[in-house]
Amino acid sequence: GAVVSQHPSWVICKSGTSVKIECRSLDFQATTMFWYRQFPKQSLMLMATSNEGSKATYEQGVEKDKFLINHASLTLSTLTVTSAHPEDSSFYICSARGGVTGLSYEQYFGPGTRLTVT
Amino acid sequence: RKEVEQDPGPFNVPEGATVAFNCTYSNSASQSFFWYRQDCRKEPKLLMSVYSSGNEDGRFTAQLNRASQYISLLIRDSKLSDSATYLCVVNMYTGNQFYFGTGTSLTVIP
């Protein structure tokens, strides 16, 4: 159980275009999903926290108008990178927070989307 | 001060060795603790949650020391397949605040 999928797994796009990444929890409902970015040889950086039916909470320094997040259902969150530029090239990973186990909140990660902007 | 700190390593150990990683956290209100494993160019995968009483899963043992605010991961009888980056993750009491360590790199050598 606790499977999270992402689509697409790899995308190459031209500078100035927009790219939408989907994150789905396949076998559980996720009221909260997280979006991360990871540059080569660096740690995960949280971009935003997405709650179903409400606006996402963005981390400091992340442009909400550039990285549009929609969490329309309990199993789907989308991240749209608008007007992508080469510096947006990165590994984008989503995660979904699992149910409470005692006092524990486990995160399950999607397989990631590798974005290359040319 | 960072919320979660880990020794980045790298740790290079021979097959069969025992290796231990520590991770410290700064906020005493932290509630849940996890170890994740991340392979190169892959997503993190949950290795184990860390409970107050400590827990063991096969060759892996996790311990929590609330007084000193650190968690540890012990890997016994290291296998080549254990080579990866191990991430320490701490969750705040609100449930939606997760803090990641920068990861500890482990390479198991034949």
Side-chain angles (χ1 to χ4, degrees):
Chain A
V3 178
V4 177
S5 70
Q6 262 183 262
H7 177 80
S9 56
W10 199 307
V11 58
I12 301 173
C13 70
K14 290 187 176 180
S15 188
T17 60
S18 295
V19 175
K20 180 187 278 190
I21 304 170
E22 291 187 351
C23 176
R24 293 181 186 272
S25 56
L26 298 185
D27 52 2
F28 66 102
Q29 293 183 330
T31 54
T32 303
M33 290 184 173
F34 304 89
W35 286 96
Y36 296 86
R37 182 165 53 178
Q38 187 174 35
F39 294 105
K41 297 189 178 181
Q42 294 189 23
S43 59
L44 286 168
M45 291 172 46
L46 179 65
M47 299 177 67
T49 301
S50 167
N51 291 296
E52 185 265 339
S54 64
K55 291 183 179 179
T57 302
Y58 290 81
E59 294 299 299
Q60 193 172 6
V62 178
E63 298 175 58
K64 62 180 181 180
D65 294 330
K66 180 170 180 65
F67 298 99
L68 301 178
I69 291 173
N70 183 281
H71 193 159
S73 77
L74 288 172
T75 59
L76 173 64
S77 176
T78 61
L79 167 69
T80 301
V81 183
T82 62
S83 187
H85 288 95
E87 57 266 29
D88 297 324
S89 299
S90 187
F91 190 42
Y92 291 85
I93 310 174
C94 74
S95 73
R97 199 192 79 192
V100 175
T101 304
L103 295 175
S104 176
Y105 295 84
E106 297 167 347
Q107 277 190 82
Y108 298 94
F109 288 84
T113 296
R114 198 160 298 281
L115 170 64
T116 301
V117 184
T118 61
Chain B
R1 185 183 172 188
K2 288 183 181 179
E3 293 283 348
V4 179
E5 298 207 51
Q6 285 183 257
D7 180 348
F11 284 68
N12 299 313
V13 302
E15 256 186 302
T18 296
V19 61
F21 308 134
N22 282 337
C23 166
T24 59
Y25 60 95
S26 61
N27 196 321
S28 59
S30 300
Q31 182 152 292
S32 303
F33 310 88
F34 310 92
W35 283 103
Y36 280 78
R37 169 198 170 124
Q38 186 175 25
D39 292 286
C40 187
R41 299 171 72 85
K42 298 282 189 181
E43 78 279 16
K45 290 189 185 295
L46 179 65
L47 182 64
M48 56 199 309
S49 302
V50 187
Y51 303 121
S52 296
S53 55
N55 45 305
E56 186 174 311
D57 183 3
R59 298 181 292 108
F60 299 85
T61 301
Q63 296 280 351
L64 166 64
N65 185 319
R66 285 192 182 271
S68 301
Q69 293 183 199
Y70 77 83
I71 66 173
S72 64
L73 177 68
L74 181 78
I75 305 175
R76 292 182 297 279
D77 188 23
S78 300
K79 310 290 184 190
L80 296 177
S81 56
D82 294 333
S83 298
T85 296
Y86 291 83
L87 299 168
C88 166
V89 181
V90 173
N91 171 234
M92 301 301 291
Y93 66 92
T94 59
N96 278 352
Q97 291 176 274
F98 290 86
Y99 296 95
F100 283 75
T102 52
T104 298
S105 174
L106 170 67
T107 301
V108 181
I109 304 164

